[in-house]
Amino acid sequence: MTDFSLYLVTDPHLGGGPERVAGIVEQAIDGGVTVVQLRDKDADEQTFRERAVEIKQVCDRLGVPLFLNDRFAIAQELGCHVHIGQGDLPYVQARQQLPAHLMIGLTIENMDQLEAVIADCAQGDIALPDVVGLGPVQATDTKPDAPQAVGVEGVAAMAEVARAHGIASVAIGGVGLHNAADLARAGVDGLCVVSAIMAAPSPGEAARELLEVWETGRRVAQPRVLTIAGTDPTGGAGVQADLKSIAAAGGFGMSVITSLVAQNTHGVTAVHTPPADFLDEQLESVFSDVTVDAVKLGMLGQAATVRQVTGWLRTRPHGPVILDPVMVATSGDSLLDPDATEALLELAAVVDVITPNIPELAVLCGEQPAPTFDMAIEQATRFAADVGTTVIVKGGHLTGPQADNAVVFPDGRVHVVANPRVNTTNSHGTGCSLSAALATRMGAGDPVDKALDWSTRWLNEALRGADALQVGSGSGPVDHFAVTRRLLRAADATPWQHLRIGAPRDGIITPSGTQSPVPALAPAGPYTQALWEATGDVLGEILDSGFIRGLGDGTLSREEFLFYIDQDAHYLRQYSRALATLSSRAPDASAQVDWATSAAECITVEAELHRTYLNKGLAETGVSAPSPVTMAYTDFLIARSHADDYVVGAAAVLPCYWLYAEIGLILAKQNHAEHPYTDWLDTYSGEGFLAGTAKAIARVEAAMAGAGPDQQRVAAQTYLSACVHEREFFDQATRRGWN
């Protein structure tokens, strides 16, 4: 399905002349424009053709569809889509004249015009317009003779009718940043702009701003998602898995049952299909009462059921539709009537996204299953172009260390989502779960590529938690709420245990419940020995965290690593200030020099991080500001080094040395030349950092030895608090981006 989110209509006068239009179009597409319409009413046929060829080259190269304004002969010659107004060729004649594979857009100025074209198409058995431009929203200088403005309310009313008939819609006329959010909530599929981009000093930036406001306005706090599928009594697949996935992805789930399936973790034993009229009753009960922000289609079973559901989707308003073409269960059991394949192909052309696994994609294409991910993408590219529907390629059925997913758009664009393979036999219901999560994120307003990014990341963690569920003795289900539970634990505001229990009567701090491993860098005396013996619990949690495990084996996502690097740069900037303060307060010249040297090294390392990672086009996170976790840690260090006794400040900064060194040495055992994060592993296991850490341990030992008992206890608690801040700092990258 075509993405109409940001539709640009060109105007050579607003753009500063015809010769500048192609450049503006390219910048606008780079900024997020998804559809372009060439409008140049003053140009003769030959001139218009030349300009259309130029713009089409840009659009084809960047994968964006091009509509021509009422130039049918040129459109047919160049293979472009067409947009017509109310004063141009009547729509029914236009549709009969243009090849079926080319889209037609139609300007709609009021409800009467919309209802009339729908009626005319029904009477003549003609395909409805692919997209309608609804408006004008308000009076505009670009069309001084435009009809009366309909406002956001009028656009919303027409968009609802268009949506009910499967017609995409964009708001036109007076559209800009001032009303983009309101229009996003009005139910249209996109914004159609002229001057907002053509007359902008930076067309790319103008497009980005419009798209950001549009996407923000489109977001639904809790999308209402309907799953239409079969059941699974053991809860791993079917509507049971769908409802869990919808909830985990932030939606409110509803279900309509197509088939009652007797299955468990070993396979399917029986399928019962309720009467067709009962399916109608279920669908009516939902659509007559609830706004449906997204639909996920699962097991449909029979050709009659497929066509029955298709009919409902054609006639009722709803959000994006994601089809999981359930044909074969993981166990190998067939879940689709042989006669239903043709009906399913018809349905594939109606939905927005289809999510076949490798064997199902092969069946849909009439080919053998693809043996590689690249070949699967090639199959999906052909299929997406043939049916005009976006296809998700899933690499789970393939072999190798990666199980990547990809979005394949009908125009040939491909968005790959890296996904490290999880070695588990408990993968029952992964297809259902991914599709339901995808539907939920799209129902919330995410474009399909961002929705797949989120859903892939979520399902990967659900698979990593699958073995611990211990549901069934066959291929068990995934842990749908693994992410939810982890984030709830991270959000717990209960004071840290070492602060609740306070300091012991004997000694300076209570040893941890988990025995601390033998450190590679030995304590410098009894005080740092006590600190290390209190570190076991926190160090164990850090080593077991998803971030550190992924960093060690190289499966940590690029985005999470870059977020960590960005935060590390912000952290080091403040950490160096804490070290400089300790230098000014140190009791002897040697400690002053060592702390000052360490402060200077932090600034050097921060600069190197920016040079190596953040200034070479690798800063893809779009953050470049300290997170709440980073600020909490750095504010803690600044406060302890400035406001408390010297020994307390020294203890506060020690974990950043000692824990990093011990973790770096542990991870170094997994390092190799092809490791994606080999530079980081080299830095924190290198001789220079280890030598600096040993000196820091000695300085803290000396400071503790020279302090009184009360100071020692406060310093020890502060050290352990800094260890917990380290745990939070490492873990934060895996908490980002779940909203």
Side-chain angles (χ1 to χ4, degrees):
M1 307 293 280
T2 302
D3 180 3
F4 289 101
S5 298
L6 190 53
Y7 187 126
L8 171 64
V9 177
T10 66
D11 186 312
H13 303 295
L14 287 173
E19 68 281 356
R20 297 191 64 238
V21 171
I24 292 174
V25 166
E26 182 163 1
Q27 293 178 56
I29 293 174
D30 286 341
V33 160
T34 58
V35 176
V36 175
Q37 178 184 324
L38 178 59
R39 187 173 74 186
D40 192 344
K41 293 192 173 183
D42 296 333
D44 58 34
E45 286 294 296
Q46 181 58 33
T47 302
F48 188 92
R49 184 189 180 283
E50 292 172 357
R51 293 172 183 170
V53 168
E54 182 182 22
I55 302 300
K56 188 174 188 299
Q57 289 175 346
V58 174
C59 290
D60 286 350
R61 175 165 50 84
L62 298 176
V64 168
L66 174 64
F67 284 73
L68 303 185
N69 200 69
D70 190 33
R71 305 280 182 135
F72 280 86
I74 297 174
Q76 290 188 64
E77 177 190 353
L78 300 181
C80 295
H81 312 292
V82 174
H83 181 86
I84 56 177
Q86 289 295 317
D88 299 323
L89 186 69
Y91 172 76
V92 170
Q93 292 178 243
R95 184 68 275 175
Q96 291 171 330
Q97 182 173 325
L98 202 68
H101 70 280
L102 296 177
M103 293 184 283
I104 298 183
L106 174 66
T107 297
I108 295 292
E109 301 159 348
N110 53 58
M111 188 68 80
D112 288 344
Q113 292 175 356
L114 179 59
E115 292 175 343
V117 73
I118 292 171
D120 289 345
C121 289
Q123 183 177 358
D125 194 24
I126 299 294
L128 290 163
D130 297 278
V131 59
V132 288
L134 307 177
V137 180
Q138 61 185 53
T140 171
D141 292 337
T142 60
K143 294 188 75 173
D145 58 344
Q148 183 177 356
V150 298
V152 175
E153 296 78 8
V155 167
M158 291 188 285
E160 184 177 2
V161 174
R163 187 182 186 190
H165 288 81
I167 306 172
S169 64
V170 294
I172 61 174
V175 175
L177 287 173
H178 64 289
N179 57 10
D182 291 335
L183 289 166
R185 292 186 284 270
V188 291
D189 296 288
L191 307 174
C192 183
V193 299
V194 188
S195 59
I197 289 179
M198 293 299 301
S202 173
E205 185 59 32
R208 273 186 286 274
E209 290 179 357
L210 279 164
L211 198 58
E212 181 178 355
V213 173
W214 163 258
E215 290 179 352
T216 300
R218 289 274 286 183
R219 292 214 61 81
V220 178
Q222 189 172 14
R224 295 146 292 192
V225 182
L226 172 63
T227 170
I228 305 175
T231 64
D232 177 0
T234 56
V239 294
Q240 286 88 344
D242 290 346
L243 292 173
K244 294 172 191 173
S245 304
I246 291 165
F252 178 84
M254 304 170 286
S255 62
V256 165
I257 307 300
T258 58
S259 299
L260 299 171
V261 184
Q263 65 172 312
N264 55 25
T265 62
H266 290 277
V268 175
T269 57
V271 177
H272 171 69
T273 302
D277 57 355
F278 183 66
L279 178 58
D280 282 332
E281 291 288 345
Q282 293 181 80
L283 291 165
E284 176 63 26
S285 67
V286 175
F287 282 111
S288 65
D289 183 43
V290 183
T291 299
V292 178
D293 296 306
V295 180
K296 185 264 176 164
L297 302 177
M299 178 181 175
L300 300 177
Q302 301 176 348
T305 304
V306 175
R307 293 193 170 95
Q308 188 177 358
V309 170
T310 303
W312 275 88
L313 295 178
R314 289 185 183 278
T315 58
R316 296 300 178 100
H318 52 74
V321 180
I322 287 72
L323 169 62
D324 182 22
V326 180
M327 298 175 170
V328 181
T330 303
S331 59
D333 295 294
S334 176
L335 298 175
L336 187 67
D337 188 306
D339 296 333
T341 301
E342 183 178 347
L344 199 68
L345 287 169
E346 296 172 5
L347 176 58
V350 175
V351 304
D352 296 276
V353 180
I354 183 168
T355 64
N357 58 33
I358 295 294
E360 290 164 348
L361 178 61
V363 173
L364 292 171
C365 295
E367 302 174 10
Q368 291 298 310
T372 68
F373 189 64
D374 288 343
M375 293 178 69
I377 288 178
E378 291 175 4
Q379 282 186 339
T381 300
R382 294 191 292 273
F383 183 77
D386 288 343
V387 300
T389 300
T390 297
V391 178
I392 304 299
V393 175
K394 301 182 293 187
H397 278 72
L398 300 172
T399 58
Q402 289 295 114
D404 297 347
N405 295 326
V407 183
V408 179
F409 295 94
D411 59 18
R413 288 177 296 130
V414 178
H415 171 77
V416 176
V417 182
N419 184 42
R421 187 175 299 280
V422 178
N423 293 318
T424 177
T425 58
N426 294 311
S427 58
H428 181 49
T430 50
C432 303
S433 301
L434 181 71
S435 297
L438 187 73
T440 306
R441 301 306 296 184
M442 292 182 67
D446 284 350
V448 62
D449 52 350
K450 290 183 180 179
L452 185 63
D453 289 342
W454 191 100
S455 301
T456 299
R457 182 186 181 196
W458 164 79
L459 185 58
N460 186 276
E461 188 161 344
L463 278 163
R464 282 187 269 124
D467 291 352
L469 286 178
Q470 297 183 355
V471 174
S473 56
S475 176
V478 303
D479 184 356
H480 295 86
F481 296 105
V483 172
T484 304
R485 289 197 307 276
R486 179 171 62 82
L487 296 180
L488 284 173
R489 287 193 297 271
D492 187 1
T494 302
W496 298 333
Q497 184 180 10
H498 69 279
L499 298 178
R500 296 201 307 271
I501 63 175
R505 292 183 179 179
D506 299 322
I508 61 172
I509 194 167
T510 303
S512 65
T514 302
Q515 184 175 356
S516 301
V518 176
L521 297 174
Y527 297 105
T528 46
Q529 178 69 40
L531 295 182
W532 184 254
E533 289 175 357
T535 309
D537 289 336
V538 180
L539 180 58
E541 291 167 349
I542 293 173
L543 293 174
D544 193 48
S545 70
F547 180 87
I548 291 298
R549 284 188 282 109
L551 184 60
D553 63 21
T555 61
L556 182 71
S557 76
R558 177 187 179 89
E559 181 182 32
E560 288 176 349
F561 180 73
L562 289 174
F563 177 81
Y564 162 77
I565 289 294
D566 182 65
Q567 292 308 301
D568 201 27
H570 289 291
Y571 170 84
L572 289 172
R573 195 172 304 144
Q574 300 304 318
Y575 187 62
S576 68
R577 292 189 169 98
L579 297 180
T581 299
L582 290 176
S583 174
S584 69
R585 301 180 66 192
D588 58 76
S590 176
Q592 288 177 347
V593 170
D594 285 342
W595 287 127
T597 301
S598 296
E601 288 172 349
C602 281
I603 296 172
T604 302
V605 171
E606 181 209 342
E608 182 65 15
L609 285 175
H610 278 275
R611 187 189 68 81
T612 304
Y613 294 107
L614 302 178
N615 287 340
K616 286 190 172 182
L618 301 182
E620 300 162 356
T621 63
V623 181
S624 295
S627 72
V629 172
T630 300
M631 287 192 295
Y633 191 6
T634 56
D635 288 354
F636 166 83
L637 293 174
I638 295 294
R640 300 290 75 78
S641 61
H642 282 71
D644 288 337
D645 293 330
Y646 166 75
V647 66
V648 175
V653 302
L654 181 58
C656 185
Y657 279 105
W658 208 353
L659 289 184
Y660 263 71
E662 297 294 336
I663 293 167
L665 288 168
I666 292 170
L667 296 183
K669 298 173 183 177
Q670 298 174 271
N671 197 9
H672 53 84
E674 302 302 319
H675 195 292
Y677 308 122
T678 185
D679 291 342
W680 188 96
L681 298 177
D682 285 342
T683 297
Y684 288 101
S685 61
E687 292 183 3
F689 183 72
L690 298 179
T693 299
K695 288 184 177 182
I697 296 171
R699 291 197 296 274
V700 173
E701 181 71 30
M704 296 284 281
D710 289 341
Q711 289 177 312
Q712 291 170 349
R713 291 188 179 98
V714 172
Q717 280 198 321
T718 300
Y719 162 84
L720 203 52
S721 291
C723 289
V724 178
H725 275 296
E726 284 289 337
R727 181 194 69 193
E728 301 298 288
F729 186 82
F730 278 123
D731 193 53
Q732 65 173 321
T734 67
R735 303 179 197 168
R736 177 178 175 264
W738 290 110
N739 289 333

